[in-house]
């Protein structure tokens, strides 16, 4: 089974993309809602949470894990460097590759949580791949709570998005990395406010494509995976709000199981 985790609801954008790319593979989603949001916490804390989430998914029998969280991907080098026997995918590298392919002018914007932007991971990977690119980043700490709260179409959310994007807009970026898995839920508003000429990079589709191509290249792993098209959704704290927003993202009702740490 493919195990996917995030701090909360954001990783469901990755579930949606993985389900589309691999309709039959069994999925297990773990949302660490009791400790969400991650993006405002220290690197050490996020790293500990990420490693615990990976352990949980391994204990549940995951054959592949996706860290569907930029904050965890950037805080835990173990996620980035393949310390585990079980393949662990992160969301930063696929987004970087997609942005480098998309940009024409080399002016790339990145938005994410304070933890992700503070880690400097996007700048360093983008510039390592192409020293000519100019990277402009902006932390957007209010967007995760707005998504978790389901404030997707509220005028207040549009105003906050506009304010966060303004510094990137004046830099005339042509590509914007949505460096947090919660943000694709606000894609329409972000697209409207940054302008239609700017390409939006959504890591959820990029990482789903990476998982699919990995499985094609590793039939030994693929063959032993269950393919009943089933999914389970486990959270560390269940709230009606999570269920509502999950319904909006996945366009269906999900049954939540709760585990306590
Ligand atoms: N969705 C996550 C990310 O991609 C975490 C957001 C948060 O919990 O702050 O960074």
């Amino acid at each position: 089974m493919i195990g996917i985790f995030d701090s909360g609801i954001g990783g469901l954008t990755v579930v949606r993309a993985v389900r589309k790319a691999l309709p039959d593979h069994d999925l297990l989603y773990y949302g660490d809602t009791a400790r969400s949001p991650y993006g405002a916490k220290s690197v050490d804390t996020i790293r500990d949470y990420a490693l615990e989430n990976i352990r949980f998914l391994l204990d549940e029998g995951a054959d592949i894990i996706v860290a569907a969280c930029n904050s965890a991907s950037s805080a835990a080098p173990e996620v980035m460097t393949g310390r585990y026997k079980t393949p662990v995918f992160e969301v930063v590298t696929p987004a970087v590759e997609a942005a480098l392919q998309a940009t024409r002018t080399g002016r790339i914007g990145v938005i994410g949580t304070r933890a992700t932007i503070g880690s400097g991971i996007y700048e360093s990977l983008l510039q390592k791949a192409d020293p000519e690119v100019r990277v402009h980043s902006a932390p957007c700490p209010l967007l995760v709570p707005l998504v978790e709260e389901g404030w997707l179409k509220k005028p207040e959310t549009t105003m906050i998005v506009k304010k966060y994007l303004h510094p990137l807009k004046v830099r005339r970026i042509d590509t914007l990395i949505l460096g947090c898995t919660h943000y694709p839920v606000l894609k329409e508003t972000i697209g409207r406010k940054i302008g239609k000429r700017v390409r939006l990079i959504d890591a959820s589709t990029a990482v789903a494509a990476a998982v699919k191509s990995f499985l094609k290249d590793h039939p030994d792993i693929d063959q032993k995976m269950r393919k009943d098209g089933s999914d389970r959704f486990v959270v560390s704290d269940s709230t009606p709000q999570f269920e509502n927003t999950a319904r909006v993202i996945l366009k269906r009702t999900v049954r939540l199981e709760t585990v306590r740490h």
Side-chain angles (χ1 to χ4, degrees), residues 100 122-135:
L100 289 168
Y122 276 103
E123 280 93 336
S124 90
L125 291 181
L126 285 162
Q127 257 149 15
K128 199 164 144 206
D130 181 354
E132 304 271 285
V133 297
R134 291 286 156 266
V135 187

Side-chain angles (χ1 to χ4, degrees), residues 7 36 47 75 81 112 147 149 173 233-234 236:
S7 61
S36 165
R47 180 175 173 270
T81 56
V147 170
E149 205 42 48
I173 56 163
F233 296 86
V234 180
S236 48

Side-chain angles (χ1 to χ4, degrees), residues 1-208:
M1 143 272 280
I2 303 176
I4 301 175
F5 78 86
D6 181 35
S7 61
I9 203 115
L12 293 180
T13 60
V14 175
V15 168
R16 185 171 65 186
V18 169
R19 182 44 87 221
K20 200 165 166 204
L22 298 162
D24 299 327
H25 287 69
D26 287 9
L27 304 182
L28 168 61
Y29 183 71
Y30 179 61
D32 192 9
T33 42
R35 305 190 293 197
S36 165
Y38 283 6
K41 298 194 167 69
S42 71
V43 171
D44 287 346
T45 299
I46 301 170
R47 180 175 173 270
D48 289 349
Y49 291 174
L51 300 188
E52 282 174 32
N53 298 344
I54 291 173
R55 175 52 43 213
F56 169 75
L57 292 170
L58 289 174
D59 290 347
E60 290 290 317
D63 304 288
I64 281 193
I65 290 174
V66 182
C69 175
N70 287 262
S71 308
S73 299
S74 54
E78 292 84 349
V79 174
M80 306 287 295
T81 56
R83 175 178 98 168
Y84 295 93
K85 260 205 272 140
T86 301
V88 181
F89 287 77
E90 40 80 29
V91 277
V92 175
T93 314
V96 164
E97 285 165 2
L100 289 168
Q101 271 182 15
T103 187
R104 297 285 165 263
T105 64
R107 283 194 292 272
I108 301 176
V110 186
I111 53 174
T113 64
R114 279 201 206 289
T116 301
I117 300 302
S119 76
I121 186 118
Y122 276 103
E123 280 93 336
S124 90
L125 291 181
L126 285 162
Q127 257 149 15
K128 199 164 144 206
D130 181 354
E132 304 271 285
V133 297
R134 291 286 156 266
V135 187
H136 303 285
S137 317
C140 305
L142 294 174
L143 298 189
V144 166
L146 288 167
V147 170
E148 295 274 337
E149 205 42 48
W151 279 33
L152 310 182
K153 304 271 179 211
K154 300 251 185 196
E156 291 85 350
T157 304
T158 307
M159 257 169 53
I160 291 168
V161 166
K162 185 176 171 198
K163 191 160 174 62
Y164 280 145
L165 295 182
H166 180 71
L168 302 179
K169 208 169 169 168
V170 296
R171 303 284 186 165
R172 292 188 297 117
I173 56 163
D174 78 338
T175 302
L176 175 63
I177 297 177
L178 307 182
C180 171
T181 52
H182 282 67
Y183 299 172
V185 183
L186 296 171
K187 206 170 183 174
E188 210 188 293
T189 310
I190 293 171
R192 233 180 323 113
K193 290 299 156 200
I194 196 70
K196 57 175 179 301
R197 275 194 295 276
V198 176
R199 293 277 303 272
L200 299 185
I201 304 300
D202 173 350
S204 65
T205 43
V207 74

